[in-house]
Amino acid sequence: MLILIDESGDSGFKIQKGSSQFFVVCMIVFKAFDEAEKCSAAIKKLQAERKIYPEFKFSNSRAEIRDAFFTAVAPFDYSIYALAVRKSEIYSQHLRTSNDSFYNYFVRQLISQHTHMLDKAHIKIDESGDREFKRQLAQYIRRMIPDGQIKKITFLSSRNDHLIQLADMVTGAIARTYSGKKDASRWHGMIAPKIANLWRFR
């Protein structure tokens, strides 16, 4: 099993200074590695056809590119599990003042709801933060999962992994749902058949 994790939004709380109102963390689950490889190849093919370099990113993509991307990945068998957090509903001072703790906590919350799927899983996480941050996050995940259940945890740059780009695009589409913009539900509708669980944190 292959699991990809990415987030949309930031951990800041100064909304008036540009921080996002929502934070979304998303987990993409492929039960079969060969299906993941086929999906990756389809993304790579679309990237060459559309001349999208260095990578697909939801925030940087025009509407027609988002449409093409989600059409290209629709045939493949994967599931989406996501957690959406309205930051105004977070009152913990620790989470409001520690970026790493905020991110780690909500990744842990998402994974803890689906530990039954993690047997021998290879987890790929979008690379962010410094080495100490990544070490702590990996420790968090391993502490909450029974010994030996997770096969591997890898941190990768989205530029070097098309499936991390899939996680970015999916997470961006879900986050867009909470934006209040006229096209807020457009891409959420395209991925809706893949969504196994979308949880609003309260």
Side-chain angles (χ1 to χ4, degrees):
M1 183 176 293
L2 176 64
I3 295 175
L4 311 146
I5 297 175
D6 198 8
E7 87 287 344
S8 179
D10 56 75
S11 57
F13 283 83
K14 296 180 179 179
I15 307 300
Q16 70 277 14
K17 293 187 178 181
S19 294
S20 60
Q21 294 186 40
F22 274 84
F23 177 83
V24 176
V25 60
C26 193
M27 188 165 73
I28 312 294
V29 178
F30 284 92
K31 292 183 178 179
F33 279 94
D34 61 342
E35 191 73 1
E37 289 172 356
K38 291 175 186 177
C39 185
S40 179
I43 296 170
K44 183 178 181 179
K45 181 175 182 289
L46 180 65
Q47 184 181 33
E49 290 173 351
R50 295 290 183 139
K51 296 181 172 58
I52 304 297
Y53 297 105
E55 62 184 313
F56 286 102
K57 287 192 76 67
F58 188 90
S59 61
N60 296 339
S61 297
R62 302 186 307 276
E64 61 268 27
I65 296 299
R66 294 170 181 170
D67 289 342
F69 184 94
F70 290 118
T71 299
V73 301
F76 302 101
D77 186 13
Y78 64 89
S79 300
I80 300 167
Y81 299 82
L83 169 62
V85 181
R86 185 189 290 275
K87 292 191 293 185
S88 62
E89 297 174 354
I90 302 302
Y91 302 105
S92 165
Q93 195 62 24
H94 181 61
L95 294 180
R96 294 177 70 93
T97 56
S98 172
N99 291 344
D100 288 357
S101 294
F102 180 94
Y103 181 78
N104 285 339
Y105 178 77
F106 288 112
V107 170
R108 182 173 59 176
Q109 288 295 310
L110 177 62
I111 293 177
S112 67
Q113 300 298 313
H114 307 98
T115 54
H116 60 285
M117 300 187 307
L118 301 182
D119 188 37
K120 306 301 180 186
H122 180 180
I123 300 176
K124 292 184 177 182
I125 303 175
D126 187 26
E127 187 175 61
S128 60
D130 58 21
R131 182 178 298 178
E132 179 63 15
F133 163 78
K134 289 181 284 187
R135 184 187 67 80
Q136 290 182 7
L137 180 55
Q139 286 181 347
Y140 268 139
I141 294 172
R142 291 190 184 280
R143 277 203 300 268
M144 61 183 291
I145 305 300
D147 289 344
Q149 191 168 343
I150 294 177
K151 188 173 182 180
K152 188 176 183 181
I153 299 174
T154 307
F155 291 84
L156 294 168
S157 167
S158 55
R159 292 190 176 193
N160 300 324
D161 193 292
H162 290 99
L163 294 178
I164 294 291
Q165 294 174 38
L166 170 65
D168 175 276
M169 293 291 285
V170 166
T171 309
I174 292 173
R176 187 81 166 194
T177 307
Y178 304 103
S179 69
K181 296 182 179 179
K182 286 198 287 188
D183 64 359
S185 62
R186 176 171 173 174
W187 297 285
H188 183 278
M190 295 184 75
I191 62 172
K194 308 287 190 185
I195 298 176
N197 186 26
L198 174 53
W199 170 37
R200 268 289 311 277
F201 182 84
R202 297 183 188 278

